Amino acid sequence: MGDSQYSFSLTTFSPSGKLVQIEHALTAVGSGQTSLGIKASNGVVIATEKKLPSILVDEESVQKIQHLTPNIGVVYSGMGPDFRVLVRKSRKQAEQYNRLYKEPIPVTQLVRETATVMQEFTQSGGVRPFGVSLLVAGYDDKGPQLYQVDPSGSYFSWKASAMGKNVSNAKTFLEKRYTEDMELDDAIHTAILTLKEGFEGEISSKNIEIGKIGADKIFRVLTPAEIDDYLAEVE
Amino acid sequence: MSIFQYNGSAVVAMVGKNCFAIASDRRLGVQLQTIATDFQRISKIHDHLFIGLSGLATDVQTLEGYQRLVFRHKLYQLREERDMKPETFASLVSAILYEKRFGPYLCQPVIAGLGEDDKPFICTMDSIGAKELAKDFVVSGTASESLYGASEAMYKPDMEADELFETISQALLSSVDRDCLSGWGGHVYVVTPNEIKERILKGRMD
């Protein structure tokens, strides 16, 4: 196809109107571990598989869900190192906003600035797009919010979304299970069930990670013990 | 003569019951000569937020109407689809002034606004952004010492809009009468959650 001739330079459009590197970045995301997020009426939950390459890896040292601010958290599907760089940049932007206005940054503003960074890497010389899609979960004055940001820099607000390997099954499951007036604990149960759908092997508190934020506006990553409790409730 | 006294100015803001008032004099001078008697020292940032600047007139105009402050707020409104809270705006002004720490804008702002739940907010700061919050009144300008005295004597908490107007007008006029560099009338804004009343005062025209 003519497209492959245009896949060497990121900043060149192919004849079909695509930027092929971004397509490839989305493929990298699509082969990453599944992650998902659900917006409840009183909070947001995000969750991801945490499949480690070997049993010798110390699973407590691996943290896929990160804080951007005390009331905004993020999870990814795709390349871990790219995620680290984006988290670092986003944290700095959030803190700069706080320093200027002495006010915590609204979720939409932080998402927009992160998406702008990702877009810059699709239009500059000598760089490649980020190989991650992010799910940003936050709670501010406008209430609970869930955003997905793609390697192209586009972002969408979701009621529930999934990314990574198992995305189509997960989204179908979420479409069936999602209700507008779901509460946070229900959402966490639904998130676990959705992860279970495409899970290879036995699901346990050691190979998934869950983060949640409620009306207290504090984002927390659940401890393995808490995950075990939710898993027991789901069984 | 200090550069802050080159043009002459007087600005005062007071807190009332779910309302606030901000007032300034109208004289623009070049030391002892009066150049204008209708100089605008107070700018509206949005319907519930006003800023008055005393000090060097060129910096007053640069900061307020033409550049930094109104501009920054308009961008904020477009990006965030909401008005700035008064506390946030005060932090922004403080940051903008401190950016010029070693070559400062030669003015002292007085910020007055209605915050969440229509709670009145006032503050002042020095020319490099040191904020000073107050619960009752704040003053600034060449007439500031007289303004402190007059406001302290005349102020009562929880005044309604009309009484607040009378109080702030009397405080302003009596203070600028004791200051040769400010005067030529007064410009008073009284702001309640539903309306803004703008009035021009006629005092001793000298």
Side-chain angles (χ1 to χ4, degrees):
Chain A
M1 217 179 35
D3 266 9
S4 62
Q5 285 183 308
Y6 292 85
S7 63
F8 58 84
S9 167
L10 156 69
T11 53
T12 312
F13 278 104
S14 73
S16 56
K18 289 193 246 177
L19 286 167
V20 190
Q21 278 301 304
I22 295 182
E23 306 291 322
H24 295 336
L26 285 165
T27 313
V29 170
S31 53
Q33 288 179 12
T34 313
S35 60
L36 58 93
I38 304 177
K39 181 169 73 172
S41 59
N42 59 344
V44 192
V45 59
I46 48 179
T48 180
E49 286 178 5
K50 191 165 74 170
K51 288 267 190 56
L52 298 167
S54 142
I55 53 166
L56 292 175
V57 175
D58 178 3
E59 71 269 356
E60 279 168 18
S61 71
V62 178
Q63 267 242 328
K64 289 184 73 178
I65 299 185
Q66 296 280 351
H67 288 246
L68 294 180
T69 71
N71 66 326
I72 303 176
V74 65
V75 73
Y76 74 101
S77 279
M79 298 166 67
D82 283 9
F83 175 65
R84 274 203 317 268
V85 167
L86 276 173
V87 164
R88 201 183 157 85
K89 285 191 204 273
S90 301
R91 282 176 177 164
K92 190 168 178 187
Q93 279 162 340
E95 199 47 47
Q96 277 171 343
Y97 183 101
N98 195 7
R99 188 179 63 176
L100 181 62
Y101 295 111
K102 303 281 188 296
E103 215 189 45
I105 188 168
V107 183
T108 29
Q109 299 303 310
L110 185 56
V111 167
R112 178 185 304 161
E113 299 210 10
T114 308
T116 305
V117 168
M118 292 171 87
Q119 192 279 343
E120 277 165 21
F121 279 72
T122 69
Q123 211 177 8
S124 312
V127 298
R128 62 161 176 82
F130 287 96
V132 284
S133 278
L134 304 173
L135 272 175
V136 181
Y139 200 119
D140 63 11
D141 293 336
K142 293 208 185 95
Q145 288 164 82
L146 177 67
Y147 282 91
Q148 178 175 340
V149 193
D150 280 341
S152 59
S154 41
Y155 60 90
F156 313 93
S157 175
W158 290 90
K159 299 176 199 171
S161 180
M163 344 182 277
K165 258 191 236 140
N166 205 26
V167 60
S168 44
N169 284 346
K171 275 199 176 163
T172 321
F173 190 86
L174 284 171
E175 271 170 33
K176 282 197 227 128
R177 284 287 195 124
Y178 181 80
T179 61
E180 294 278 339
D181 50 4
M182 202 180 243
E183 292 211 346
L184 189 53
D185 277 344
D186 296 330
I188 298 179
H189 291 140
T190 309
I192 294 178
L193 288 169
T194 317
L195 275 180
K196 241 179 136 189
E197 273 290 293
F199 208 86
E200 289 159 21
E202 179 81 37
I203 196 171
S204 81
S205 60
K206 289 211 203 325
N207 50 26
I208 61 171
E209 223 175 280
I210 302 182
K212 70 165 186 183
I213 179 166
D216 58 355
K217 293 194 193 167
I218 299 183
F219 183 82
R220 272 199 327 108
V221 180
L222 297 182
T223 63
E226 287 168 321
I227 298 182
D228 276 327
D229 289 339
Y230 280 106
L231 278 171
E233 283 169 26
V234 160
E235 297 298 334
Chain B
M1 182 192 267
S2 145
I3 187 69
F4 287 104
Q5 294 169 335
Y6 187 74
N7 293 128
S9 52
V11 184
V12 57
M14 283 191 187
V15 163
K17 193 162 181 192
N18 293 338
C19 64
F20 68 86
I22 182 166
S24 75
D25 74 320
R26 308 187 76 208
R27 179 181 179 273
L28 172 68
V30 172
Q31 296 189 318
L32 53 90
Q33 184 181 37
T34 302
I35 306 284
T37 58
D38 58 358
F39 187 66
Q40 183 87 329
R41 271 198 185 85
I42 299 178
S43 279
K44 183 173 92 157
I45 303 295
H46 63 72
D47 278 345
H48 292 163
L49 181 57
F50 281 73
I51 181 167
L53 287 161
S54 67
L56 197 63
T58 176
D59 285 348
V60 168
Q61 287 183 326
T62 300
L63 269 183
E64 267 183 18
Y66 308 132
Q67 288 202 20
R68 319 293 309 271
L69 300 177
V70 171
F71 164 82
R72 295 294 290 262
H73 182 258
K74 281 187 186 167
L75 276 185
Y76 181 99
Q77 245 178 345
L78 286 169
R79 265 203 311 262
E80 305 216 8
E81 291 171 3
R82 60 177 176 146
D83 285 334
M84 239 192 237
K85 292 198 277 240
E87 297 86 353
T88 313
F89 183 68
S91 299
L92 175 66
V93 175
S94 176
I96 289 177
L97 291 176
Y98 196 81
E99 271 172 30
K100 300 266 186 261
R101 169 70 176 79
F102 299 107
Y105 290 108
L106 298 162
C107 18
Q108 285 118 334
V110 163
I111 296 168
L114 287 177
E116 247 157 280
D117 304 322
D118 294 330
K119 194 162 172 304
F121 169 89
I122 51 172
C123 87
T124 184
M125 51 190 88
D126 68 6
S127 54
I128 45 177
K131 260 187 287 188
E132 193 200 304
L133 308 172
K135 296 207 179 78
D136 40 16
F137 56 86
V138 289
V139 307
S140 154
T142 50
S144 57
E145 282 168 6
S146 299
L147 277 167
Y148 272 126
S151 304
E152 191 73 56
M154 298 189 202
Y155 179 82
K156 291 194 319 268
D158 286 330
M159 280 186 278
E160 296 285 347
D162 290 328
E163 204 191 341
L164 188 64
F165 166 68
E166 290 297 332
T167 308
I168 200 174
S169 307
Q170 289 295 350
L172 179 72
L173 289 177
S174 54
S175 306
V176 304
D177 283 349
R178 280 285 180 188
D179 176 25
C180 55
L181 294 172
S182 53
W184 279 95
H187 204 144
V188 186
Y189 293 84
V190 181
V191 180
T192 58
N194 303 318
E195 64 166 351
I196 302 168
K197 270 230 185 86
E198 182 184 343
R199 296 181 183 93
I200 309 281
L201 303 173
K202 189 164 167 148
R204 273 180 66 110
M205 302 309 236
D206 65 358

